[in-house]
Amino acid sequence: MDSINYTENGNLNNSSYDRGTSGPSLYKMSPGASSSENIDPSEILRAHGYTPFGILGKGAHGQAYRVFSTKERKFYAAKIHQDEPDYQREKNILLKIHENPSSALISLKEIIENPDNAENEPSSGIYGLVVELGLSSLDEFITFMRLNNISWTEEALCGILWQLYQQISELRNLSIYHQDVKPMNIIITEDSKLKLIDFSLANSEPNKLTTSGTSGYRAPERYFHNMAKGLDAMEHAFDKDLLKKYFAENKCYPTDPFLADIYSIIVTVLECACLNRSDLQSMFNSIKDKYPKLYTLAYEIAWSRTVPSNLSAYEKHLQEFMEIHKPAFRVYFLEKYFEKHKENFFDYIDDFMQLCLYTDAEAWVNHKINEEKSDAYVMGNYKLILGYIYLRKYQFDTARLPLEEVLKLFRKSYLGQAACKNNLALALKSSGYNLHAAEKYYQEAAEVWESAQNYDKAAGAKNNQGKVLLSLRKYEDA
């Protein structure tokens, strides 16, 4: 089991999960915390070594960020709570999973606590849970499939059912009941597996059902405060009189949260099959002819809440299906991500470059170039950035091409030409392609910057020009 140090007032110690007993820890605490109203969550994340790259989602229980660990050079998801009771509940659930690690379950990376010191608000502050980041949510993948007219195979859908059932079974062994299973709370991992996330409504009591959750995914017994409403939720798919009889004969059934989670899994699988969310009867009717095996299976499971073990054979079909469609989905998701954060383009590029995430930066710039084909000047700026990225990647020959194109586009921009010539000179010099041309471009760049009174850049260009001249002389002497 991985462990991470807990930092209190800037000093490392070996506090445990209860912050007082011995053992490994995931905690980090921000020193000198002030009122949470004046604290930017992204600054708290940066202070702990995580660079935010956009918001993944917002909900009633917090806000999730996509973050990059500067230490591990890896992306994670960070869920920020500003309500301590909600945070404590989810934290305790994730710690229990962390103490009993499983490759099938979400992994907790770190806990960040920034409590508010205000005496009149003892439970306020900013609290963060850093967990593994998936490729996307299952909900986003369903949207991708619908927009691209892709259908699941029946075997892959059975694989989804089994994989989710395995997870709630493992959680039950830890006395954890999710209580909010739905596509939005399921991530697709890089190795094409599905994992449940968001345990803000989970509980650890085997005979306690929560009435909270997402309407449409809740089992009818979770409306136990209003059984008539719960029965109405299923009346079109099942006979209401039979349901009443079943509830009457099976006293334990309406209060078992594990069985309620099974029902939510069935609704989730039906939504996957239909590529859209609808009422239960409509979804069953939609799959009856297209997926007859799944139709019978889903109906029986929703009724009996018993999942046959022979479904395990379908897990490999889900894996194969995801591997086929994952490359196209990556492109789709990248474009959606860029569109969502396009106003922060230059900030993101700067962060990418500082973190040496050149592949991400290159993908984003290429996306912008394709988007701005009608504006030569704007496209030139993007290509200048692209050339710089290639320089930073030490791909000097590749860098030359966009830089030479930019030089033509920037005929009327002296400073743009200067920046381009400087970078082009660096590419020519580093690739050994043409040292004479490199010397010429450095000289021209220095002259433009000098006339613009940018003496620091002019001096840098002249310094580089001198280095090229020295190299030329060495070659000529040889």
Side-chain angles (χ1 to χ4, degrees):
M1 177 177 66
D2 295 334
S3 64
I4 299 90
N5 286 324
Y6 159 50
T7 315
E8 186 169 10
N9 297 326
N11 299 316
L12 294 178
N13 60 53
N14 290 319
S15 301
S16 76
Y17 306 122
D18 296 321
R19 286 185 278 168
T21 55
S22 61
S25 174
L26 293 146
Y27 284 94
K28 282 190 178 178
M29 182 177 282
S30 297
S34 58
S35 173
S36 61
E37 292 181 6
N38 302 318
I39 299 172
D40 181 355
S42 63
E43 290 188 15
I44 298 296
L45 291 167
R46 287 181 188 276
H48 290 287
Y50 296 100
T51 302
F53 278 93
I55 295 172
L56 292 169
K58 298 178 182 180
H61 301 275
Q63 183 165 283
Y65 292 82
R66 182 176 186 247
V67 297
F68 183 77
S69 167
T70 51
K71 182 179 179 181
E72 297 185 37
R73 312 208 60 72
K74 185 178 178 182
F75 281 101
Y76 289 96
K79 184 174 181 180
I80 301 298
H81 289 262
Q82 288 185 299
D83 181 78
E84 191 182 20
D86 284 342
Y87 158 75
Q88 291 292 349
R89 181 171 57 250
E90 186 164 13
K91 179 190 75 173
N92 291 336
I93 293 289
L94 290 173
L95 281 174
K96 191 180 285 189
I97 295 172
H98 181 77
E99 291 168 342
N100 300 273
S102 165
S103 61
L105 301 176
I106 193 77
S107 61
L108 177 63
K109 166 65 179 169
E110 189 171 309
I111 294 168
I112 296 172
E113 296 189 342
N114 192 87
D116 194 331
N117 290 336
E119 292 181 8
N120 62 338
E121 294 181 291
S123 66
S124 63
I126 290 177
Y127 304 91
L129 296 166
V130 183
V131 297
E132 68 176 291
L133 176 72
L135 186 61
S136 82
S137 69
L138 180 59
D139 184 62
E140 288 166 323
F141 193 79
I142 291 171
T143 301
F144 157 74
M145 292 181 66
R146 184 173 66 249
L147 293 175
N148 290 276
N149 297 315
I150 301 170
S151 295
W152 295 92
T153 63
E154 193 162 37
E155 292 79 10
L157 289 165
C158 291
I160 292 173
L161 200 163
W162 176 254
Q163 210 166 86
L164 295 178
Y165 173 72
Q166 283 294 96
Q167 285 182 66
I168 66 166
S169 297
E170 285 200 35
L171 290 170
R172 180 179 59 170
N173 293 337
L174 301 175
S175 296
I176 298 171
Y177 306 94
H178 192 279
Q179 301 290 272
D180 198 20
V181 177
K182 58 182 179 181
M184 198 175 288
N185 285 342
I186 299 165
I187 60 167
I188 301 168
T189 65
E190 289 289 343
D191 55 353
S192 300
K193 292 181 179 177
L194 304 181
K195 288 190 178 184
L196 286 166
I197 59 169
D198 194 347
F199 289 81
S200 52
L201 294 179
N203 68 56
S204 298
E205 299 178 45
N207 295 312
K208 181 181 177 182
L209 285 170
T210 174
T211 57
S212 302
T214 308
S215 180
Y217 299 98
R218 279 180 285 178
E221 62 267 28
R222 286 180 61 194
Y223 297 91
F224 65 85
H225 61 299
N226 186 343
M227 185 58 76
K229 187 176 179 182
L231 294 173
D232 286 341
M234 293 178 70
E235 74 172 310
H236 296 300
F238 301 101
D239 183 275
K240 188 180 286 190
D241 291 331
L242 284 175
L243 278 173
K244 287 179 179 176
K245 184 173 182 289
Y246 189 90
F247 285 153
E249 293 174 356
N250 298 271
K251 303 290 185 186
C252 65
Y253 168 56
T255 61
D256 189 337
F258 175 71
L259 299 181
D261 279 345
I262 290 179
Y263 177 90
S264 300
I265 287 175
I266 293 301
V267 178
T268 295
V269 173
L270 290 176
E271 183 177 337
C272 287
C274 298
L275 299 179
N276 217 338
R277 181 181 168 187
S278 185
D279 64 86
L280 203 62
Q281 182 190 21
S282 297
M283 291 195 290
F284 268 118
N285 290 342
S286 294
I287 70 165
K288 189 171 184 179
D289 295 327
K290 188 173 184 178
Y291 302 117
K293 187 191 299 181
L294 179 67
Y295 171 83
T296 303
L297 185 66
Y299 193 94
E300 289 175 354
I301 294 172
W303 177 258
S304 68
R305 309 293 173 88
T306 304
V307 178
S309 60
N310 62 1
L311 285 181
S312 61
Y314 292 107
E315 195 167 10
K316 65 178 182 181
H317 294 284
L318 172 61
Q319 190 94 1
E320 290 167 359
F321 182 89
M322 297 300 293
E323 287 298 323
I324 290 170
H325 296 287
K326 199 161 62 174
F329 177 67
R330 280 185 185 278
V331 174
Y332 162 82
F333 186 70
L334 195 66
E335 289 177 350
K336 295 293 287 184
Y337 182 77
F338 290 160
E339 181 64 28
K340 186 177 179 182
H341 301 290
K342 63 182 179 182
E343 68 279 5
N344 299 320
F345 172 77
F346 290 105
D347 290 340
Y348 275 66
I349 286 296
D350 187 51
D351 281 337
F352 281 138
M353 298 298 282
Q354 287 188 39
L355 297 168
C356 303
L357 298 172
Y358 303 124
T359 302
D360 291 300
E362 181 186 347
W364 204 335
V365 175
N366 276 320
H367 176 76
K368 298 295 283 188
I369 288 171
N370 290 331
E371 199 177 61
E372 299 287 351
K373 284 182 178 176
S374 59
D375 191 325
Y377 183 77
V378 173
M379 190 166 67
N381 274 298
Y382 291 141
K383 288 195 174 183
L384 180 56
I385 295 170
L386 189 61
Y388 183 59
I389 291 168
Y390 288 135
L391 290 178
R392 292 285 294 270
K393 288 174 74 176
Y394 302 105
Q395 296 179 356
F396 303 111
D397 283 330
T398 310
R400 246 184 44 246
L401 302 176
L403 290 170
E404 286 171 350
E405 290 177 26
V406 175
L407 207 54
K408 298 172 186 175
L409 291 170
F410 279 180
R411 289 192 184 99
K412 296 179 181 178
S413 171
Y414 296 113
L415 290 177
Q417 282 233 343
C420 184
K421 285 178 177 179
N422 192 67
N423 284 332
L424 184 54
L426 177 59
L428 292 167
K429 170 196 163 190
S430 301
S431 64
Y433 178 75
N434 189 329
L435 288 172
H436 285 286
E439 188 270 333
K440 171 177 168 286
Y441 283 136
Y442 272 134
Q443 181 183 347
E444 291 176 4
E447 289 170 357
V448 173
W449 274 326
E450 204 160 42
S451 64
Q453 296 185 336
N454 196 329
Y455 299 116
D456 287 343
K457 287 189 175 180
K462 284 182 178 179
N463 183 54
N464 288 331
Q465 181 189 355
K467 290 178 182 178
V468 174
L469 284 168
L470 282 173
S471 299
L472 277 169
R473 286 184 188 127
K474 285 177 184 176
Y475 285 120
E476 287 168 358
D477 290 344

